[in-house]
Every structure is written in C-alpha cells, then in structure tokens.
Amino acid sequence: MNTFGNMDFMNSAFNTGAFVSAGGNVMVASWGFVGVMWGKKVFVAPIRDSRYTKEMLDKTGEFTVSVPAAGSFKSELAFCGSKSGRDYDKWKETGMNPVPAKAVNGVVVEGCARYFECKVLGMLPMGDMDISAVDKWYPTGDMHNFYFGEIVAEY
Ligand SMILES: Cc1cc2nc3c(=O)[nH]c(=O)nc-3n(C[C@H](O)[C@H](O)[C@H](O)COP(=O)(O)O)c2cc1C
C-alpha cells in the first residue's frame, strides 16, 4: 500500500492530529499535505514560528509523522498538542515510547497506525498570503512555515 493509494490516514491525521517529531521532541499537527513534486513524494507540514519543533526542524532537517488510529492516543494528543518541548519531556509525561526511525535519525511514536519519515527539502514562511480569515487563524501573528519533507520511508 503506498501513500497515494490509500488516503484513509488523512481522516485521522488531519482531523484529530498526528504526532510530528523532530530532534527528539514531539508535537501534534492536524494540517498538512501529501503530494508529488520534483519527482518525489513530499509531505508538507505547516509549523508555526513559536513551536519548539520548528527549532528542531531547522537544526536537524528531518522529521517523522506518526498517525494514530482514529480515536486512539486521545490524552497523548491533547498533551503533546498543548505543551511545549521547551517545558516538558513529552515522552516521559505521556508514557509514549519513542522507537528509532528507519530512514532518518529521529524517532516515531510506538503503536501508531501509519508512519512517514521525511528529510526537509526546504521551508517557506507564509509571507504575505491573502488569507480571508487572518484574524481568526493568526490573531497573535504566530504564522505558519511550510516544511517540505521528502518522504524517505513510509509504513
Ligand atoms: C489537534 C491539534 C492540531 C495541531 N496542529 C498544528 C499544526 O498543524 N501546526 C502547528 O504549528 N501547531 C499545531 N498544533 C499545536 C502544537 O501541537 C502545540 O502548540 C505544541 O504544544 C507545540 O509543541 P512544541 O513547542 O514542543 O513544538 C496542533 C495542536 C492540536 C491539539
């Protein structure tokens, strides 16, 4: 089964959230895209300026996405999606188990349904986009940055 043959994972990933890990930290993202560009499979992860994960992405150039089965990992998603790795060791606090990734140096969350391992090809800050509801999504100016990750492993 390949990424684009089965998009069911998107129901889970982009509704309740998926774990995005970089540099040993883990956060939650529920926005994102998969597609094909430059002859590669690409995962685009929108990460806001304020996230510790952004620092880790810029430092390591790699990230993993661990997609839980629908309805699972509820308390872990809530914790990792609201607390920063600057303040907490989220593995320790949630009891989640980090497992070494197969094709990048990072880790994935044990027990999820689907995994993507990505190498960052580049990043684009949002810049001056004509978003009709800027006030709704960006009241504090904490903008998204689009990280383009080449999918180097998926399982
Ligand atoms: C369901 C859900 C979806 C989220 N989606 C995103 C997202 O797509 N991009 C983002 O930057 N933050 C998103 N967040 C917020 C981060 O996960 C949250 O701010 C986290 O504490 C950041 O952790 P860090 O500072 O350790 O990177 C989401 C949170 C939840 C609960």
Side-chain angles (χ1 to χ4, degrees), residues 27-47:
M27 65 167 259
V28 174
S30 60
W31 289 8
F33 309 87
V34 284
V36 178
M37 288 186 289
W38 311 297
K40 301 171 189 294
K41 290 181 181 181
V42 175
F43 196 115
V44 183
I47 307 294

Side-chain angles (χ1 to χ4, degrees), residues 18-22 24-28 64-69 72-73 76-77 80 90-91 94-101 106-117 155:
F19 297 104
V20 173
S21 178
N25 185 51
V26 58
M27 65 167 259
V28 174
T64 68
V65 182
S66 304
V67 186
S72 66
F73 282 87
E76 294 87 350
L77 287 165
C80 297
K90 298 188 214 178
W91 304 102
T94 60
M96 294 194 310
N97 197 23
V99 177
V107 295
V108 298
V109 177
E110 187 179 54
C112 286
R114 191 157 183 83
Y115 299 99
F116 298 91
E117 298 181 4
Y155 44 98

Side-chain angles (χ1 to χ4, degrees), residues 40-122:
K40 301 171 189 294
K41 290 181 181 181
V42 175
F43 196 115
V44 183
I47 307 294
R48 292 185 192 251
D49 295 331
S50 65
R51 310 303 186 221
Y52 182 56
T53 300
K54 181 178 185 306
E55 276 180 52
M56 295 295 107
L57 283 167
D58 292 341
K59 200 163 130 187
T60 65
E62 298 180 337
F63 65 97
T64 68
V65 182
S66 304
V67 186
S72 66
F73 282 87
K74 279 187 179 163
S75 61
E76 294 87 350
L77 287 165
F79 191 87
C80 297
S82 60
K83 307 290 187 233
S84 179
R86 292 191 188 92
D87 308 317
Y88 294 92
D89 177 338
K90 298 188 214 178
W91 304 102
K92 208 170 126 197
E93 298 290 335
T94 60
M96 294 194 310
N97 197 23
V99 177
K102 298 175 194 284
V104 299
N105 285 317
V107 295
V108 298
V109 177
E110 187 179 54
C112 286
R114 191 157 183 83
Y115 299 99
F116 298 91
E117 298 181 4
C118 304
K119 290 193 176 171
V120 176
L121 295 165

